[in-house]
Amino acid sequence: MGRELNPSIGSFDIKEWAELVPGLIGWTMLNISMACEQAVRRGGRITDSMLLVLLFQGWYVFDALWNETAVLSTMDITSDGLGFMLTIGNFCWVPFTFSLQSRYLAFNHVELGPVKTLAICSLQALGYWIFRSSNGEKNDFRNGQNPKNLTFMETKRGTKLLTSGWWGLSRHPNYMGDLIMALAWCLPTGFNTPIPYFYLFYFTTLLVHRQMRDDAHCAKKYGDDWTEYMKRVPYRIFPYIY
């Protein structure tokens, strides 16, 4: 998909810039704009639900920018060329659809209260912990480090596949964390309409498709070794579910 894999001007990586600046930072700016709209309508203050969406999604973007080196090992950077799909995705799709929760809350003022706020915060913390720690294990291992002494299996190609830690629970534990966070981002909007949950539905479809695509690629790449690996790590994303 796409054209050139990593187009650049000198040392300036165009695709990485498109991922982080118009996509993630544009998304954050739209969220802030929606919070300002709500504040104007409410006499200068925002709801607890809007605050949660700002904090959760803002932290996600900050984390991506702070851990920018981890972005370099994602499928968008390593596998997909910078063509129509990624260009439209980064400049239009990400900022304007990922901000639907704040857009909804700007005009529908949902107050959660302390109990619901605490429950949603706990769910967000769980998802972030799984997302960050599993990605940390992967990035350390790819860089030749194994501080947790995780087990792995050798392949005939000479590469290694993790079989313990988060990567022993499922083949894509980072996707599990991502989806738990996606649910936490949508819950502050309540249940009056499915529109703010579009992100969750879309992201689930995207990550399941990526998982299937990755499994097919690895089966072709590793052959019998991949069959053995699937026996050791049978679950795709959610342990004991999928």
Side-chain angles (χ1 to χ4, degrees):
M1 289 182 286
R3 297 297 180 183
E4 189 174 350
L5 182 59
N6 292 106
S8 61
I9 302 173
S11 60
F12 179 73
D13 190 305
I14 298 173
K15 183 165 67 173
E16 185 182 356
W17 174 86
E19 290 267 335
L20 298 178
V21 178
L24 297 187
I25 296 179
W27 169 21
T28 303
M29 295 304 295
L30 283 173
N31 277 349
I32 294 172
S33 298
M34 293 301 107
C36 290
E37 173 67 26
Q38 188 191 80
V40 169
R41 290 169 175 266
R42 289 175 56 85
R45 63 177 295 271
I46 62 174
T47 60
D48 51 7
S49 57
M50 177 66 85
L51 180 61
L52 288 189
V53 169
L54 286 178
L55 291 176
F56 292 167
Q57 297 184 356
W59 179 257
Y60 185 86
V61 171
F62 172 80
D63 178 82
L65 297 174
W66 184 262
N67 296 285
E68 186 174 346
T69 53
V71 175
L72 301 177
S73 63
T74 61
M75 183 175 287
D76 284 353
I77 299 296
T78 62
S79 303
D80 294 338
L82 183 61
F84 178 84
M85 181 185 73
L86 286 187
T87 301
I88 294 298
N90 289 323
F91 282 85
C92 300
W93 185 264
V94 169
F96 289 102
T97 64
F98 287 18
S99 59
L100 280 175
Q101 295 85 22
S102 62
R103 173 68 174 79
Y104 174 79
L105 291 173
F107 303 98
N108 300 271
H109 306 156
V110 178
E111 291 286 2
L112 297 171
V115 174
K116 291 180 181 178
T117 297
L118 180 61
I120 295 172
C121 286
S122 299
L123 186 66
Q124 164 71 15
L126 173 64
Y128 179 76
W129 173 52
I130 296 172
F131 172 79
R132 178 47 52 210
S133 57
S134 61
N135 275 323
E137 289 179 354
K138 177 186 68 173
N139 291 326
D140 285 342
F141 196 72
R142 284 184 172 178
N143 291 322
Q145 303 171 20
N146 190 7
K148 296 182 179 180
N149 294 316
L150 302 176
T151 60
F152 56 87
M153 63 171 281
E154 297 267 5
T155 68
K156 298 182 181 70
R157 295 174 59 92
T159 53
K160 301 172 183 177
L161 301 174
L162 282 172
T163 57
S164 68
W166 287 109
W167 300 88
L169 293 176
S170 78
R171 301 197 289 272
H172 297 277
N174 51 338
Y175 292 0
M176 174 170 57
D178 247 334
L179 291 173
I180 292 173
M181 285 192 291
L183 176 60
W185 298 353
C186 298
L187 286 174
T189 63
F191 301 100
N192 288 332
T193 173
I195 293 176
Y197 288 81
F198 170 80
Y199 174 78
L200 177 62
F201 302 142
Y202 156 74
F203 209 49
T204 300
T205 303
L206 172 71
L207 293 184
V208 169
H209 176 264
R210 281 193 174 185
Q211 168 268 308
M212 295 171 65
R213 182 174 146 200
D214 187 52
D215 279 6
H217 172 74
C218 289
K220 183 177 180 181
K221 179 178 179 180
Y222 295 112
D224 292 340
D225 286 329
W226 188 251
T227 302
E228 174 60 27
Y229 171 71
M230 289 194 296
K231 292 179 181 177
R232 299 190 190 187
V233 187
Y235 300 105
R236 301 173 178 91
I237 298 177
F238 284 93
Y240 307 103
I241 298 175
Y242 175 74

